[in-house]
Amino acid sequence: DKTDHEMKAMDDSRPDDFISISGSKMRALAAQHATPCPDPIPSDLLAANCIPPNFMVQTGWDIVCDYYADPEGKYLPWSKPIVDPLMADNTMAIGQFGDLSFELTFTEGGRSVSPWHDLTLRPAGYSVSPEEVNFVVEIPMFQTAKM
């Protein structure tokens, strides 16, 4: 809310008083090292290259900026591997775990499958309750970065 610098649900009666900051917009602002906005807060944060006051504590924002401003994509300070990832029998590792080239691929019937498009919603091969579904997590256990 631009009127009182608080993060809250949008009030439909005052749509111009609110700014929506998507993950993509936040990453773009961090990559260009956006600084706190002056008052009044502009509606186009990317053009103004600023973030709302109190959007994030400054030290946290500095870390986010350093991460997304890294042109080589090699800045992984909080994502050092502790253990090798657990993998299902139908999973194949490519590259070195902990390196940016590392990826996991899923196989089914000898062919590669997409975890987002080809896996069934419900587990197959055994009886499950209606509440059970397949679930893919991009962030391995003991890690903080997506695969």
Side-chain angles (χ1 to χ4, degrees):
D1 186 337
K2 295 192 302 183
T3 60
D4 62 6
H5 306 284
E6 295 290 327
M7 192 177 298
K8 60 177 87 164
M10 183 178 277
D11 180 343
D12 291 334
S13 69
R14 306 181 293 120
D16 293 338
D17 290 337
F18 290 84
I19 299 172
S20 175
I21 302 175
S22 65
S24 296
K25 186 181 287 187
M26 188 273 309
R27 288 186 292 276
L29 288 164
Q32 57 194 36
H33 285 271
T35 57
C37 297
D39 210 12
I41 300 171
S43 293
D44 189 345
L45 298 177
L46 287 170
N49 194 31
C50 67
I51 55 171
N54 304 318
F55 174 70
M56 187 181 290
V57 296
Q58 191 60 49
T59 53
W61 181 246
D62 292 342
I63 292 168
V64 171
C65 288
D66 288 345
Y67 183 88
Y68 286 108
D70 179 20
E72 299 298 317
K74 295 179 182 174
Y75 185 79
L76 298 173
W78 313 113
S79 302
K80 300 295 182 195
I82 298 171
V83 297
D84 285 337
L86 300 174
M87 296 189 300
D89 293 337
N90 65 336
T91 307
M92 181 174 61
I94 299 171
Q96 175 63 44
F97 181 60
D99 188 76
L100 292 173
S101 65
F102 182 74
E103 61 182 77
L104 293 176
T105 60
F106 295 84
T107 59
E108 192 172 272
R111 65 180 183 88
S112 291
V113 295
S114 165
W116 312 122
H117 305 288
D118 299 327
L119 296 182
T120 60
L121 176 63
R122 305 256 180 244
Y126 57 92
S127 177
V128 295
S129 71
E131 295 85 20
E132 290 186 60
V133 295
N134 279 323
F135 179 72
V136 177
V137 179
E138 290 182 274
I139 303 171
M141 189 178 344
F142 309 116
Q143 302 295 308
T144 57
K146 290 182 181 181
M147 292 269 182

